[in-house]
Amino acid sequence: MAAPKPQAVVVGGSIAGLSCAHALISAGWRVTVFEKSASPPDGSPTGAGLGLDPQSLRLLSQWISDPHLLQDVTFPLSIDLNRLTDSGTKASRTLTRDEDFDFRAAHWADLHSILLRTLPPDTVLWGHQFLSFEVSDGRSSVVTNARVLRTDEIIGIASDLVVAADGCLSSIRRRLFPDSKLRYSGYYAWRGILDFSGKENDGMILSIRQSYPDLGNCLYFDLALSTHCVLYELKGHRLNWLWYINGPEPEHKESSLTVKVSDSMIEMMHEEADKIWVPELARVMKATKEPFINIIYDSDPLPKLFRDNVVLVGDAAHPTTPHGLRSTNMSIQDAAALGCCLEKWGWENLSSALEEYQSIRLPVISKQVLHARKLGRIKQGLALNCGSTFDPTTARQEECLQLQQRNMPYFEGVPITSDITLPSKQIGS
């Protein structure tokens, strides 16, 4: 008679949580995911674009078995391009161009959908709001409690491990590490996705393609004085953009990283876009339905990634600014490393597995979080630790090179186990 499989409860059904479900199931665990949302996302055109690095794409293709699913929902980002925009003349010039970038762009909802539908049925319990966990006296198990939002019933599941994948505002992280606080970056971002389906030959789309000729294969960064903007194309006739603006921390609900915007706020944003950016980019911003504001936070690296039978992954473990395209990639790589360690050590040696996971991931994510923080301050013209600021209008070529994504620590690939680094091989190559 086969021994029963160990059980894990994953708190959070976003990409980090679903990635952990895949990795742990591959390692021989039974997995239940608690997610407070009532149902899966519907693929709405609003939301977030993301960039997947070659190693994350390789890991994803191992879990979902059919790499064509990833090809079908992603566009290549072969070029990392930083440009200077002269707000007076509305002219642009290249600061640095890396044609060996090798990422792929995806919409968050598209990637989430693939991860979800390739899991066993009923892995995710929708409409289950995490409440608390209690580790047994002998640390042999942990009970996770959740409220079933449809009935208001409280349920508890006993498991061998709890995986906290509950995001930047993680209540589990606050319990394990109460001194860890989110840190406001000094700027926020307007963001949106323009769906131009059926309007591919519209004058606005033709003009943005003329101004940004590598769309569909390029990650564009436009820099002006003390601000910058990101633009890239997603599958499904969509343009993803973000505009970072220095300023005091906006007022918002403590339970959210976004700000409710009014029509007047959107109108003011449009007016400022006309002043700062090339007309083609400003037109895209004006045509975008329901743009919103994200407040940009990160957190100083944690001293540990687990306590007892509870381990942190994804943004719960390492809130980070978005400038190094790290958040999703770190989440996927966290999941892979955790799965490998659990399979290697077996649930009977859970503490050793978690120690190895921590030893592999903590040095990597600590350096990547701090580098993303620095890169954001460089592009926003904010003072660095040395007191200097970056001015794109006067920067020398060697100074501009620090804008490139490949300066991210472990850019070529991170260790997934203590003795193996997966090659950074792109799917379909």
Side-chain angles (χ1 to χ4, degrees), residues 191-360:
R191 64 186 308 170
I193 292 180
L194 173 66
D195 186 339
F196 59 93
S197 301
K199 302 177 182 178
E200 294 85 350
N201 294 317
D202 183 85
M204 177 184 64
I205 299 303
L206 295 177
S207 65
I208 195 73
R209 290 199 182 283
Q210 184 174 12
S211 184
Y212 295 80
D214 291 307
L215 275 174
N217 192 36
C218 183
L219 178 64
Y220 278 96
F221 295 93
D222 282 1
L223 282 72
L225 283 177
S226 300
T227 189
H228 79 287
C229 192
V230 184
L231 179 69
Y232 55 95
E233 187 170 358
L234 300 171
K235 272 289 183 74
H237 306 294
R238 292 171 291 185
L239 295 176
N240 183 76
W241 60 269
L242 301 89
W243 176 13
Y244 298 96
I245 298 174
N246 294 340
E249 182 176 3
E251 294 185 9
H252 65 105
K253 295 180 180 178
E254 289 188 4
S255 59
S256 176
L257 300 178
T258 62
V259 175
K260 185 176 182 180
V261 298
S262 63
D263 290 344
S264 62
M265 293 169 67
I266 294 173
E267 185 177 348
M268 289 178 62
M269 180 269 287
H270 291 166
E271 291 175 357
E272 288 301 307
D274 280 332
K275 296 176 184 177
I276 295 173
W277 303 117
V278 297
E280 297 83 0
L281 179 57
R283 286 179 66 191
V284 165
M285 292 178 176
K286 292 176 185 177
T288 300
K289 296 179 180 179
E290 300 180 15
F292 60 99
I293 288 177
N294 252 160
I295 311 175
I296 308 302
Y297 295 101
D298 67 5
S299 182
D300 292 335
L302 291 169
K304 289 175 63 69
L305 296 179
F306 78 96
R307 280 190 179 163
D308 300 327
N309 304 50
V310 183
V311 62
L312 300 171
V313 300
D315 288 341
H318 39 70
T320 183
T321 59
H323 310 292
L325 283 76
R326 282 294 92 203
S327 177
T328 300
N329 291 296
M330 284 195 288
S331 297
I332 294 166
Q333 292 155 14
D334 286 348
L338 181 60
C340 285
C341 292
L342 292 172
E343 184 174 19
K344 171 182 175 180
W345 287 95
W347 71 270
E348 305 92 341
N349 300 297
L350 179 61
S351 180
S352 296
L354 298 182
E355 286 282 1
E356 182 168 334
Y357 163 75
Q358 178 175 273
S359 71
I360 293 167

Side-chain angles (χ1 to χ4, degrees), residues 357-369:
Y357 163 75
Q358 178 175 273
S359 71
I360 293 167
R361 293 300 294 155
L362 195 55
V364 173
I365 61 179
S366 298
K367 291 180 180 179
Q368 291 186 333
V369 165

Side-chain angles (χ1 to χ4, degrees), residues 60-124:
L60 289 166
S61 66
Q62 291 173 349
W63 295 332
I64 66 175
S65 73
D66 183 0
H68 295 294
L69 291 175
L70 290 171
Q71 292 274 22
D72 290 344
V73 301
T74 59
F75 259 144
L77 292 177
S78 302
I79 304 168
D80 168 26
L81 178 60
N82 287 270
R83 311 193 307 181
L84 169 66
T85 295
D86 185 318
S87 299
T89 64
K90 299 296 187 290
S92 296
R93 66 175 176 86
T94 296
L95 297 173
T96 177
R97 181 183 176 98
D98 180 359
E99 297 191 356
D100 193 25
F101 187 47
D102 208 21
F103 278 45
R104 292 186 76 87
H107 190 284
W108 181 95
D110 293 339
L111 178 58
H112 187 274
S113 176
I114 290 175
L115 287 168
L116 179 62
R117 69 175 184 259
T118 51
L119 282 172
D122 302 322
T123 299
V124 182

Side-chain angles (χ1 to χ4, degrees), residues 1-16:
M1 184 175 178
K5 292 182 178 181
Q7 169 78 44
V9 168
V10 177
V11 178
S14 190
I15 287 173

